[in-house]
Amino acid sequence: MKTIQELKTRIQELSKQAVEFSRKASEVCLTDRQQAKYFRQQAREASKRTQVLIQEVKRQEV
């Protein structure tokens, strides 16, 4: 079990990762649709992991 601070740090990392993937998808969407699709998928997965960790933090704080 990770501490709340470790979870919050990981949440920040994943959030930044999701933003970066979204930005990359926007950059390449007109030139390489497959690459853009891949980046959007990675952004969604990072976002989902972030949400799971947020729920874990909320659960531990109660």
Side-chain angles (χ1 to χ4, degrees), residues 7-36:
L7 290 171
K8 287 181 178 181
T9 300
R10 184 66 179 140
I11 288 168
Q12 288 177 336
E13 292 168 357
L14 286 170
S15 294
K16 287 178 186 176
Q17 199 175 56
V19 168
E20 184 65 21
F21 280 128
S22 292
R23 186 186 61 74
K24 286 181 181 179
S26 295
E27 286 177 0
V28 300
C29 69
L30 296 177
T31 58
D32 189 346
R33 294 179 65 81
Q34 282 299 108
Q35 189 71 19

Side-chain angles (χ1 to χ4, degrees), residues 1-60:
M1 180 82 59
K2 292 187 175 187
T3 67
I4 290 177
Q5 188 57 44
E6 289 172 330
L7 290 171
K8 287 181 178 181
T9 300
R10 184 66 179 140
I11 288 168
Q12 288 177 336
E13 292 168 357
L14 286 170
S15 294
K16 287 178 186 176
Q17 199 175 56
V19 168
E20 184 65 21
F21 280 128
S22 292
R23 186 186 61 74
K24 286 181 181 179
S26 295
E27 286 177 0
V28 300
C29 69
L30 296 177
T31 58
D32 189 346
R33 294 179 65 81
Q34 282 299 108
Q35 189 71 19
K37 182 178 176 181
Y38 169 77
F39 285 139
R40 283 191 298 271
Q41 180 182 1
Q42 293 301 310
R44 271 193 306 276
E45 289 175 11
S47 181
K48 286 179 185 178
R49 289 192 302 269
T50 300
Q51 292 304 313
V52 168
L53 292 179
I54 289 171
Q55 292 302 319
E56 179 64 21
V57 167
K58 287 180 180 178
R59 190 181 66 77
Q60 285 187 18

